[in-house]
Amino acid sequence: MIRAALLAAALLAFGCATAKGLVVETIHQDIDGDGKPDSVTLSLTTEPNEPGDFNRIALSLTASGKHFTFEDDGLWIPIHRNDLGSSPRRSVANLMHSNKLILAKAVEGDYLLMMIGYLYASDPQKLTVIRLSKAGAKVVLSHEMDLEEFGDIDHDGKTDIVGAMVSEPMGPDCHSYDPDVVYSLRDTFRFNRRLTERYDRQHDGFYAADDKKYLVMERQHGKRELLPESEFNRCSK
């Protein structure tokens, strides 16, 4: 009871507390490209047990009069420059008038609203993507990965997202094999094995599609080598 009262007091102190939780921020901006300002409300509906600002996003689209609410088990955090992609050529041009969301235009012409989940030490961030179209708004991607690249990678007229995983060190010169992954937008973002293999071979020089265990050895002059389990003893202890 005392803990609940303290939480309620904190909500009142830091924002607008309602039956739906703490309203963290409300943004009035055109988010679906129809030229009319829409409403985006970010809220905190749970007692925080990890860093983050909000776990619920409510969208009110002016032209259609439709309302959509999305909620996550974890918390979404503010956006930083390095969250927009590591590739200058294919980083996200953020159109959102807030530091808590990413708004980007898809190759197909629709708009994509993105949220970043809290990054734990050994895990990548959680990337959540909402697609805004004439049909409304729906989650088209929710996956633990860092945003690496955004755009049409293979020039097929479809939006691609490259996600980077977090590798674990396995000695001074080796780390776990966690290849970058490519998701391509269809009705939702779907894993694209063909593009994933092509991307990893271009950037790392190798790709392993099977479920066997591998390590990556960092060699001189920036060269890397993929080691099968039978050669793990080559890694320094």
mmCIF file of all heavy atoms in Angstrom, residues 17 24 27 31 53 60 64 73 75 85 92 98 106-107 110 117 123 156 166 173 185 192 198 209 216 222:
data_model
loop_
_atom_site.group_PDB
_atom_site.id
_atom_site.type_symbol
_atom_site.label_atom_id
_atom_site.label_comp_id
_atom_site.label_asym_id
_atom_site.label_seq_id
_atom_site.Cartn_x
_atom_site.Cartn_y
_atom_site.Cartn_z
ATOM 1 N N ALA A 17 -0.732 12.215 -14.162
ATOM 2 C CA ALA A 17 -1.179 10.879 -13.790
ATOM 3 C C ALA A 17 -2.652 10.724 -14.114
ATOM 4 O O ALA A 17 -3.475 11.535 -13.711
ATOM 5 C CB ALA A 17 -0.929 10.633 -12.298
ATOM 6 N N VAL A 24 3.770 10.747 -20.303
ATOM 7 C CA VAL A 24 5.148 11.226 -20.354
ATOM 8 C C VAL A 24 5.303 12.370 -21.348
ATOM 9 O O VAL A 24 5.985 13.363 -21.080
ATOM 10 C CB VAL A 24 6.094 10.058 -20.725
ATOM 11 C CG1 VAL A 24 7.521 10.551 -20.889
ATOM 12 C CG2 VAL A 24 6.014 8.958 -19.688
ATOM 13 N N ILE A 27 2.746 14.506 -28.441
ATOM 14 C CA ILE A 27 3.299 15.175 -29.623
ATOM 15 C C ILE A 27 2.188 15.365 -30.648
ATOM 16 O O ILE A 27 1.427 14.426 -30.926
ATOM 17 C CB ILE A 27 4.439 14.349 -30.261
ATOM 18 C CG1 ILE A 27 5.486 13.971 -29.211
ATOM 19 C CG2 ILE A 27 5.082 15.117 -31.409
ATOM 20 C CD1 ILE A 27 5.543 12.497 -28.915
ATOM 21 N N ILE A 31 2.088 12.269 -38.772
ATOM 22 C CA ILE A 31 2.942 11.079 -38.751
ATOM 23 C C ILE A 31 2.610 10.096 -39.872
ATOM 24 O O ILE A 31 3.308 9.087 -40.036
ATOM 25 C CB ILE A 31 2.862 10.340 -37.400
ATOM 26 C CG1 ILE A 31 1.430 9.873 -37.108
ATOM 27 C CG2 ILE A 31 3.404 11.212 -36.270
ATOM 28 C CD1 ILE A 31 1.317 8.968 -35.892
ATOM 29 N N ASP A 53 11.482 5.253 -20.299
ATOM 30 C CA ASP A 53 10.553 6.362 -20.092
ATOM 31 C C ASP A 53 9.087 5.989 -20.220
ATOM 32 O O ASP A 53 8.233 6.553 -19.551
ATOM 33 C CB ASP A 53 10.858 7.485 -21.096
ATOM 34 C CG ASP A 53 12.107 8.252 -20.746
ATOM 35 O OD1 ASP A 53 12.828 7.820 -19.828
ATOM 36 O OD2 ASP A 53 12.393 9.277 -21.385
ATOM 37 N N SER A 60 -3.590 8.896 -32.461
ATOM 38 C CA SER A 60 -4.874 9.384 -32.948
ATOM 39 C C SER A 60 -4.631 10.007 -34.314
ATOM 40 O O SER A 60 -3.975 11.057 -34.419
ATOM 41 C CB SER A 60 -5.473 10.416 -31.981
ATOM 42 O OG SER A 60 -5.764 9.815 -30.730
ATOM 43 N N SER A 64 -8.435 9.854 -40.658
ATOM 44 C CA SER A 64 -9.320 8.693 -40.579
ATOM 45 C C SER A 64 -10.172 8.677 -39.318
ATOM 46 O O SER A 64 -11.172 7.967 -39.241
ATOM 47 C CB SER A 64 -8.505 7.401 -40.640
ATOM 48 O OG SER A 64 -7.662 7.287 -39.495
ATOM 49 N N ASP A 73 5.895 -5.075 -22.844
ATOM 50 C CA ASP A 73 6.208 -5.575 -21.505
ATOM 51 C C ASP A 73 7.383 -4.826 -20.885
ATOM 52 O O ASP A 73 7.453 -4.663 -19.669
ATOM 53 C CB ASP A 73 6.535 -7.074 -21.555
ATOM 54 C CG ASP A 73 5.320 -7.908 -21.942
ATOM 55 O OD1 ASP A 73 4.190 -7.439 -21.700
ATOM 56 O OD2 ASP A 73 5.504 -9.002 -22.490
ATOM 57 N N LEU A 75 10.332 -1.393 -21.275
ATOM 58 C CA LEU A 75 10.249 0.062 -21.386
ATOM 59 C C LEU A 75 11.035 0.547 -22.595
ATOM 60 O O LEU A 75 12.093 0.017 -22.917
ATOM 61 C CB LEU A 75 10.795 0.727 -20.120
ATOM 62 C CG LEU A 75 10.022 0.470 -18.820
ATOM 63 C CD1 LEU A 75 10.699 1.195 -17.665
ATOM 64 C CD2 LEU A 75 8.570 0.900 -18.946
ATOM 65 N N GLY A 85 21.410 4.154 -36.846
ATOM 66 C CA GLY A 85 22.160 3.348 -37.799
ATOM 67 C C GLY A 85 23.617 3.745 -37.832
ATOM 68 O O GLY A 85 23.966 4.915 -37.670
ATOM 69 N N VAL A 92 18.918 6.263 -40.621
ATOM 70 C CA VAL A 92 17.544 6.749 -40.677
ATOM 71 C C VAL A 92 17.523 8.264 -40.578
ATOM 72 O O VAL A 92 18.154 8.852 -39.702
ATOM 73 C CB VAL A 92 16.710 6.140 -39.534
ATOM 74 C CG1 VAL A 92 15.278 6.654 -39.593
ATOM 75 C CG2 VAL A 92 16.721 4.625 -39.609
ATOM 76 N N SER A 98 10.470 14.638 -31.540
ATOM 77 C CA SER A 98 10.633 14.148 -30.175
ATOM 78 C C SER A 98 11.874 13.285 -30.131
ATOM 79 O O SER A 98 12.228 12.648 -31.128
ATOM 80 C CB SER A 98 9.410 13.322 -29.745
ATOM 81 O OG SER A 98 9.652 12.639 -28.529
ATOM 82 N N ALA A 106 9.149 4.978 -45.389
ATOM 83 C CA ALA A 106 9.521 3.724 -46.037
ATOM 84 C C ALA A 106 9.649 3.935 -47.537
ATOM 85 O O ALA A 106 9.090 4.888 -48.098
ATOM 86 C CB ALA A 106 8.481 2.649 -45.748
ATOM 87 N N VAL A 107 10.370 3.054 -48.187
ATOM 88 C CA VAL A 107 10.535 3.122 -49.635
ATOM 89 C C VAL A 107 9.178 3.040 -50.329
ATOM 90 O O VAL A 107 8.941 3.683 -51.355
ATOM 91 C CB VAL A 107 11.452 1.972 -50.114
ATOM 92 C CG1 VAL A 107 11.562 1.958 -51.631
ATOM 93 C CG2 VAL A 107 12.833 2.096 -49.479
ATOM 94 N N ASP A 110 4.773 4.577 -47.227
ATOM 95 C CA ASP A 110 4.185 4.656 -45.894
ATOM 96 C C ASP A 110 5.213 5.199 -44.909
ATOM 97 O O ASP A 110 6.399 5.341 -45.228
ATOM 98 C CB ASP A 110 3.723 3.260 -45.433
ATOM 99 C CG ASP A 110 2.566 2.734 -46.263
ATOM 100 O OD1 ASP A 110 1.854 3.550 -46.884
ATOM 101 O OD2 ASP A 110 2.376 1.504 -46.300
ATOM 102 N N GLY A 117 14.014 -0.310 -27.225
ATOM 103 C CA GLY A 117 13.939 -0.839 -25.871
ATOM 104 C C GLY A 117 15.277 -0.779 -25.168
ATOM 105 O O GLY A 117 16.332 -0.663 -25.795
ATOM 106 N N ASP A 123 22.872 -8.072 -24.270
ATOM 107 C CA ASP A 123 21.809 -8.210 -25.263
ATOM 108 C C ASP A 123 21.730 -6.965 -26.136
ATOM 109 O O ASP A 123 22.075 -5.868 -25.698
ATOM 110 C CB ASP A 123 20.450 -8.415 -24.591
ATOM 111 C CG ASP A 123 20.380 -9.707 -23.802
ATOM 112 O OD1 ASP A 123 20.807 -10.736 -24.340
ATOM 113 O OD2 ASP A 123 19.899 -9.676 -22.657
ATOM 114 N N ASP A 156 15.053 -3.360 -54.834
ATOM 115 C CA ASP A 156 13.865 -4.042 -55.343
ATOM 116 C C ASP A 156 12.579 -3.280 -55.025
ATOM 117 O O ASP A 156 11.481 -3.793 -55.211
ATOM 118 C CB ASP A 156 13.771 -5.467 -54.790
ATOM 119 C CG ASP A 156 13.545 -5.487 -53.279
ATOM 120 O OD1 ASP A 156 13.708 -4.429 -52.619
ATOM 121 O OD2 ASP A 156 13.202 -6.566 -52.748
ATOM 122 N N VAL A 166 24.680 -8.603 -30.589
ATOM 123 C CA VAL A 166 25.770 -8.340 -29.641
ATOM 124 C C VAL A 166 26.580 -9.617 -29.451
ATOM 125 O O VAL A 166 26.030 -10.658 -29.082
ATOM 126 C CB VAL A 166 25.236 -7.852 -28.288
ATOM 127 C CG1 VAL A 166 26.375 -7.681 -27.290
ATOM 128 C CG2 VAL A 166 24.489 -6.532 -28.461
ATOM 129 N N ASP A 173 41.159 -12.663 -28.443
ATOM 130 C CA ASP A 173 41.132 -12.527 -29.896
ATOM 131 C C ASP A 173 39.936 -13.207 -30.552
ATOM 132 O O ASP A 173 39.857 -13.292 -31.777
ATOM 133 C CB ASP A 173 42.424 -13.070 -30.511
ATOM 134 C CG ASP A 173 42.723 -14.504 -30.081
ATOM 135 O OD1 ASP A 173 41.924 -15.071 -29.299
ATOM 136 O OD2 ASP A 173 43.754 -15.053 -30.512
ATOM 137 N N LEU A 185 10.506 -5.578 -45.775
ATOM 138 C CA LEU A 185 9.105 -5.244 -45.555
ATOM 139 C C LEU A 185 8.222 -5.843 -46.636
ATOM 140 O O LEU A 185 8.383 -5.546 -47.823
ATOM 141 C CB LEU A 185 8.932 -3.721 -45.508
ATOM 142 C CG LEU A 185 7.526 -3.203 -45.189
ATOM 143 C CD1 LEU A 185 7.055 -3.725 -43.833
ATOM 144 C CD2 LEU A 185 7.509 -1.673 -45.196
ATOM 145 N N ASN A 192 14.999 -12.092 -44.197
ATOM 146 C CA ASN A 192 15.401 -12.323 -45.580
ATOM 147 C C ASN A 192 16.756 -13.045 -45.575
ATOM 148 O O ASN A 192 17.797 -12.411 -45.426
ATOM 149 C CB ASN A 192 15.500 -10.989 -46.327
ATOM 150 C CG ASN A 192 15.655 -11.154 -47.827
ATOM 151 O OD1 ASN A 192 16.335 -12.065 -48.293
ATOM 152 N ND2 ASN A 192 15.042 -10.252 -48.588
ATOM 153 N N ARG A 198 24.092 -12.357 -48.253
ATOM 154 C CA ARG A 198 24.835 -11.439 -49.121
ATOM 155 C C ARG A 198 25.462 -10.301 -48.323
ATOM 156 O O ARG A 198 26.631 -9.945 -48.521
ATOM 157 C CB ARG A 198 23.912 -10.868 -50.203
ATOM 158 C CG ARG A 198 24.670 -10.161 -51.319
ATOM 159 C CD ARG A 198 23.730 -9.644 -52.389
ATOM 160 N NE ARG A 198 23.257 -8.302 -52.062
ATOM 161 C CZ ARG A 198 22.492 -7.570 -52.876
ATOM 162 N NH1 ARG A 198 22.083 -8.065 -54.023
ATOM 163 N NH2 ARG A 198 22.110 -6.364 -52.526
ATOM 164 N N ALA A 209 24.967 -20.583 -42.351
ATOM 165 C CA ALA A 209 23.508 -20.679 -42.261
ATOM 166 C C ALA A 209 23.049 -21.828 -41.369
ATOM 167 O O ALA A 209 21.869 -21.907 -41.030
ATOM 168 C CB ALA A 209 22.918 -20.856 -43.659
ATOM 169 N N VAL A 216 34.355 -16.272 -33.962
ATOM 170 C CA VAL A 216 35.032 -15.378 -34.896
ATOM 171 C C VAL A 216 36.370 -14.987 -34.295
ATOM 172 O O VAL A 216 36.437 -14.504 -33.165
ATOM 173 C CB VAL A 216 34.193 -14.123 -35.185
ATOM 174 C CG1 VAL A 216 34.963 -13.170 -36.101
ATOM 175 C CG2 VAL A 216 32.864 -14.512 -35.821
ATOM 176 N N GLY A 222 42.820 -6.196 -39.421
ATOM 177 C CA GLY A 222 41.370 -6.142 -39.500
ATOM 178 C C GLY A 222 40.717 -7.366 -40.112
ATOM 179 O O GLY A 222 39.504 -7.374 -40.335
#
